[in-house]
Amino acid sequence: MANSSMQMSRSTSIQHLLRDVALFGGDAGRDFVGTNLNDLVREAVAVAVCKLALMHIPVHGFGKAAIQGMAQALRVLTGLEVDVSGKAVRLVWARPAPEYV
């Protein structure tokens, strides 16, 4: 429970990057990541410190191509797994491995 509440409070700190942002086109999504990579990585590290396996990035003002461009740039620049689901991008650095429990 503590981890999920920490994620909720952490997610608000990334909102300043996304507030009132509307992007369309793959290049715009890639440029957004390139411009804000330090902040995105800093936020991902803070989320990981909370022992969470991923960071959820809501991208409500982004078009489909911009979301795909953002996901592609995050994959290339971080080397991490990136999932896209509707108007959200998830940066994933760990998956459950029940066989190791």
Side-chain angles (χ1 to χ4, degrees):
M1 182 68 172
N3 284 344
S4 62
S5 63
M6 183 58 105
Q7 172 67 23
M8 296 300 274
S9 64
R10 293 280 343 142
S11 66
T12 58
S13 63
I14 201 167
Q15 294 302 323
H16 74 280
L17 290 177
L18 301 167
R19 187 176 302 126
D20 300 325
V21 173
L23 297 177
F24 301 95
D27 287 341
R30 287 185 288 278
D31 289 345
F32 179 84
V33 170
T35 301
N36 297 291
L37 186 61
N38 288 338
D39 291 329
L40 291 166
V41 169
R42 189 177 308 115
E43 183 65 18
V45 169
V47 170
V49 166
C50 296
K51 299 187 180 184
L52 296 172
L54 60 92
M55 182 173 72
H56 177 84
I57 306 168
V59 287
H60 300 291
F62 288 29
K64 290 179 184 178
I67 293 170
Q68 291 302 320
M70 180 181 190
Q72 177 189 26
L74 285 169
R75 282 185 200 101
V76 170
L77 295 172
T78 66
L80 296 173
E81 181 179 336
V82 179
D83 295 335
V84 175
S85 177
K87 291 288 187 173
V89 175
R90 296 181 340 151
L91 189 59
V92 182
W93 48 84
R95 290 278 184 199
E99 64 272 11
Y100 294 114
V101 176

